[in-house]
Amino acid sequence: MKKNRLLFLATFMLLFSACSGKPDETVQPGATGVKEEQIEEDLYSICWFGTENYSDLGVLQTRQEGEHKGVSYFFDPVSEREVPLCVKTNCSHQGYSWGNTNPTCDACLSEETSCVAIIGDALYYVSRDPDDGLFRRKIYRADPDGTNRRVLEVVENAEIFSSGCYVDGYLIFTYYTQDAQDGTKLEKNQTGICLYNLESEEAEYITASEYYNAIISTATVQDNCLYYLYHYLTEDLSKISYEDMTDEYKESIVRRELWSYDLNTKEQRLVVKDEEKAMGTASIRWGYAYLEGSGGAETRLIRLSTGESRELPFETVQHKSQAMGEEGVFLYGGGSIDLWEFETGEVKHIGDYDEDWDITFNYIGRKWVYGWKIENGHGRIFYLPKEQFMKGDLEWKYLPQEDQ
């Protein structure tokens, strides 16, 4: 399949003007500072994290509370401007509430929205509409200002949304169902992946075997092959006595697997099973799978195209969180950030931050770095240029949003 590219129009911020009707609040063309040669980006650069969708050109996020609940906003890190996806004159951008169950703001996409992204000349998102109940989700396509919406795909049996991203011309989102239609709990989860081709507007579904507490945590496409991480339990924890519920026992019934699905042959293959080496945290991105060991097991980094594996001692990653970037795996915690390089296998120190800060890196792209910083129970999204980050200059900037 011809590789799609992420394209933000040069007139993007003209469309998304501040809609109070005041001329001085209108964002003029070029206000983003995005030059023509900066417009095209690989679709790899869009990933979904909670209610935010990150790319090298900005952040699309949906308000979860307050008077703008359900309204989607775009933040441009170059101009440091944030605007709702709405061009209606004098729109107040009121969101969902008991007194406003049918908002008229075009930026209010649905009551439950995820995977919001602008690709080419279209806005894509996934929603669960109130009239559809708990088990159905829809993929939508609209104009960048939220108008002219149409349903591309209806996904059934998708009670809980677990992960999503836009990669290589696809929208990939994973889901699972743990309850029956009558409200009773299923003995084993039903898990699946919807792989939606944005170019052909066709969907393909991949399902995994049913197991206890099963979940597909993340998925990606590499070299015309889908890779996904599958987690499950071999026994039903609800039937285990409290006395037997030791950490050793729980670890013994956990299984984590890396699977591949060939988009040409439609064949599924088990790539890694963790029975021999325990797998804790696991991630897939940038053509690699990061499989963190637990209980003293070594951590592995697998190149998806060749199967080549590299290992790192457990003590190097112990008490560290991780985020994957183009250069490798960034290991951080306790005020220190290191990089485990893809190509050389070396671990290099990037920089230091206040060890009392609780931070999470949500996205490390080619041009920008985004994350969450939590202080005194309040979280804020921070960002800084990738070049500055790689030099260890960790002077965060923050999105102009209310603390959450």
Side-chain angles (χ1 to χ4, degrees):
M1 186 192 83
K2 182 179 179 182
K3 191 171 188 178
N4 283 358
R5 308 293 288 182
L6 167 64
L7 176 62
F8 275 81
L9 302 180
T11 56
F12 177 76
M13 296 296 281
L14 174 62
L15 287 175
F16 301 149
S17 58
C19 303
S20 66
K22 300 177 182 179
D24 60 339
E25 293 188 357
T26 301
V27 181
Q28 298 299 325
T32 62
V34 177
K35 299 179 181 179
E36 184 175 354
E37 63 268 20
Q38 295 176 309
I39 293 175
E40 279 201 8
E41 290 294 333
D42 193 335
L43 274 181
Y44 241 137
S45 65
I46 303 181
C47 68
W48 176 79
F49 191 98
T51 58
E52 303 96 39
N53 209 327
Y54 298 94
S55 78
D56 273 326
L57 292 181
V59 182
L60 276 164
Q61 60 174 319
T62 304
R63 295 287 190 269
Q64 297 300 295
E65 55 187 23
E67 62 177 338
H68 303 298
K69 180 180 179 181
V71 178
S72 292
Y73 286 76
F74 175 78
F75 173 77
D76 167 43
V78 177
S79 67
E80 301 183 351
R81 299 291 299 271
E82 184 179 59
V83 289
L85 307 186
C86 177
V87 296
K88 282 184 177 178
T89 303
N90 298 320
C91 183
S92 61
H93 312 303
Q94 292 296 308
Y96 287 95
S97 66
W98 288 108
N100 188 25
T101 58
N102 189 27
T104 59
C105 175
D106 290 334
C108 206
L109 302 176
S110 71
E111 199 162 356
E112 185 176 333
T113 304
S114 59
C115 289
V116 184
I118 295 178
I119 300 170
D121 58 354
L123 173 71
Y124 295 92
Y125 63 97
V126 178
S127 79
R128 182 167 67 185
D129 301 324
D131 295 339
D132 290 332
L134 297 176
F135 298 91
R136 175 180 293 170
R137 295 178 188 268
K138 296 175 180 177
I139 300 174
Y140 278 86
R141 185 186 191 278
D143 289 346
D145 61 358
T147 61
N148 297 321
R149 307 172 191 179
R150 66 183 176 95
V151 177
L152 298 176
E153 182 74 11
V154 178
V155 184
E156 303 289 354
N157 205 29
E159 179 184 10
I160 299 175
F161 182 85
S162 55
S163 70
C165 64
Y166 291 86
V167 177
D168 202 20
Y170 290 96
L171 162 59
I172 309 171
F173 73 92
T174 70
Y175 55 91
Y176 64 96
T177 297
Q178 60 184 12
D179 299 302
Q181 297 283 343
D182 62 4
T184 60
K185 189 172 180 61
L186 296 173
E187 183 182 21
K188 297 180 179 180
N189 287 0
Q190 299 173 355
T191 56
I193 302 172
C194 177
L195 183 66
Y196 191 83
N197 188 313
L198 301 178
E199 184 175 2
S200 66
E201 296 192 347
E202 297 176 337
E204 190 168 357
Y205 292 88
I206 297 91
T207 58
S209 301
E210 295 180 18
Y211 279 104
Y212 304 107
N213 296 83
I215 181 174
I216 298 172
S217 61
T218 185
T220 191
V221 169
Q222 170 79 26
D223 298 327
N224 216 36
C225 190
L226 173 74
Y227 293 88
Y228 63 92
L229 291 165
Y230 185 50
H231 306 247
Y232 62 91
L233 302 180
T234 59
E235 297 182 28
D236 187 356
L237 281 180
S238 65
K239 298 179 180 179
I240 306 300
S241 66
Y242 178 79
E243 292 76 15
D244 294 333
M245 197 72 68
T246 63
D247 291 339
E248 292 78 9
Y249 177 79
K250 287 188 288 187
E251 181 65 29
S252 71
I253 65 175
V254 172
R255 295 291 181 270
R256 304 173 181 90
E257 300 170 349
L258 172 62
W259 283 81
S260 68
Y261 175 80
D262 192 301
L263 299 180
N264 293 323
T265 66
K266 312 304 179 185
E267 295 180 355
Q268 291 198 69
R269 181 175 64 90
L270 179 61
V271 180
V272 174
K273 193 168 186 175
D274 72 340
E275 288 184 346
E276 295 181 2
K277 297 181 179 179
M279 186 194 304
T281 302
S283 300
I284 318 175
R285 202 159 187 261
W286 299 102
Y288 287 83
Y290 172 85
L291 312 176
E292 185 174 301
S294 61
E298 291 186 325
T299 291
R300 287 160 291 166
L301 187 63
I302 299 174
R303 188 191 295 265
L304 298 178
S305 60
T306 64
E308 173 192 356
S309 181
R310 181 180 292 140
E311 295 185 346
L312 199 65
F314 176 73
E315 55 267 21
T316 305
V317 301
Q318 191 176 18
H319 307 307
K320 294 279 190 177
S321 298
Q322 58 80 29
M324 299 180 74
E326 186 178 22
E327 301 82 2
V329 182
F330 292 86
L331 304 168
Y332 61 95
S336 176
I337 303 174
D338 298 319
L339 169 64
W340 185 14
E341 292 185 330
F342 284 148
E343 295 302 322
T344 67
E346 296 180 5
V347 177
K348 297 182 177 180
H349 186 63
I350 295 296
D352 299 298
Y353 59 93
D354 191 326
E355 63 181 9
D356 293 329
W357 291 354
D358 184 4
I359 67 171
T360 299
F361 287 105
N362 297 344
Y363 171 82
I364 299 178
R366 292 191 172 103
K367 298 179 182 178
W368 293 92
V369 174
Y370 300 94
W372 273 91
K373 175 185 172 184
I374 301 175
E375 286 185 293
N376 301 320
H378 296 281
R380 300 184 67 186
I381 298 176
F382 67 78
Y383 69 100
L384 70 167
K386 177 69 169 293
E387 182 178 4
Q388 177 181 332
F389 172 76
M390 294 300 293
K391 293 177 180 178
D393 182 4
L394 307 180
E395 292 294 327
W396 319 124
K397 294 183 177 181
Y398 300 92
L399 263 67
Q401 64 180 45
E402 296 180 359
D403 290 353
Q404 298 184 27

